[in-house]
Amino acid sequence: MIHMETKRLVLGDWEPGDLALFTNLHQDPQAMKYFPKLYNEKEVAEMINRYKDHQESRGWSIFSLRLKENKQFIGCIGLLYRDFPAHFTPCVEIGWKISPMYWNQGYATEAAKKLLHKGFTDYGLTEIISFTVPQNVASRRVMEKIGLIHDKEGDFQHTRLTKDHPLSWHVLYRLTKEQYDDHKLV
């Protein structure tokens, strides 16, 4: 069982009751504004199973995210090995998805700092990246708060979307272990 804690949060394994809550999150147009589509329950169940398989094979993955005080599920955060066709893959991506009612409270930043620390110190990663569409200012702000650096030369057209898709262009943020060691934010 994976279990990490921050001052206010618990990052952990997926529980049976998470499917309905995670599906609700993936059906929320506000939460999914910068994703190409909404996901149904079957697709979300498959997503959770991929995260569990990733955890089994790599020892880390996307975790459920809960408030420590009452164990309320608020979303997910984690690290994923990515190998889709792009100039920076294969790589390890840090990503999060949090219910809008919990936005602007520092939860993504708090959990992401914990994951960067685990990634670089316990998991032996040498670089962690993140990416999003340019207009996703809130996620970009989190990336910057946790120390990731915008690689302007690395911005890219996502290969899983058609070139004319309004969400196909992405900004790329990166952080190496050396950069992390120089400026630890945990």
Side-chain angles (χ1 to χ4, degrees):
M1 178 176 186
I2 295 294
H3 181 87
M4 290 178 264
E5 292 187 5
T6 68
K7 183 179 178 183
R8 302 178 296 163
L9 303 167
V10 175
L11 294 72
D13 291 328
W14 293 91
E15 298 177 5
D18 292 344
L19 177 58
L21 298 168
F22 205 40
T23 299
N24 288 342
L25 179 58
H26 281 87
Q27 288 288 304
D28 183 327
Q30 185 180 7
M32 300 300 289
K33 180 177 182 178
Y34 300 116
F35 290 87
K37 67 177 212 159
L38 302 179
Y39 294 89
N40 63 39
E41 185 174 291
K42 181 178 184 268
E43 292 168 317
V44 172
E46 290 168 356
M47 191 181 303
I48 291 172
N49 285 333
R50 283 193 306 275
Y51 296 158
K52 289 177 179 179
D53 290 345
H54 190 281
Q55 169 69 35
E56 188 73 24
S57 67
R58 300 216 176 249
W60 40 267
S61 188
I62 301 291
F63 305 108
S64 69
L65 185 61
R66 299 176 195 288
L67 296 177
K68 188 188 278 188
E69 67 181 357
N70 60 11
K71 306 298 184 239
Q72 175 64 43
F73 177 90
I74 66 169
C76 69
I77 191 162
L79 300 166
L80 267 183
Y81 174 81
R82 303 296 296 254
D83 63 357
F84 61 86
H87 65 87
F88 56 89
T89 60
C91 64
V92 175
E93 175 193 10
I94 187 169
W96 49 85
K97 197 175 291 154
I98 296 175
S99 176
M101 68 187 303
Y102 298 102
W103 288 358
N104 300 311
Q105 297 178 52
Y107 294 133
T109 301
E110 184 177 323
K113 285 180 181 179
K114 179 70 170 186
L115 277 171
L116 283 180
H117 179 75
K118 292 289 280 183
F120 288 130
T121 60
D122 296 350
Y123 304 150
L125 302 177
T126 58
E127 182 179 53
I128 296 174
I129 65 102
S130 194
F131 53 86
T132 189
V133 295
Q135 55 271 42
N136 189 348
V137 175
S139 279
R140 293 182 72 178
R141 191 170 51 244
V142 171
M143 292 172 197
E144 292 165 1
K145 284 180 183 178
I146 64 174
L148 273 66
I149 301 161
H150 183 194
D151 176 3
K152 293 179 179 134
E153 301 300 316
D155 292 351
F156 67 103
Q157 194 96 34
H158 203 300
T159 56
R160 292 191 174 159
L161 297 172
T162 61
K163 288 186 180 189
D164 62 342
H165 193 286
L167 298 176
S168 67
W169 190 252
H170 282 65
V171 290
L172 177 66
Y173 284 74
R174 307 174 97 131
L175 185 67
T176 65
K177 171 140 177 34
E178 292 78 24
Q179 291 167 323
Y180 175 78
D181 286 343
D182 288 344
H183 306 287
K184 284 186 183 168
L185 298 172
V186 175

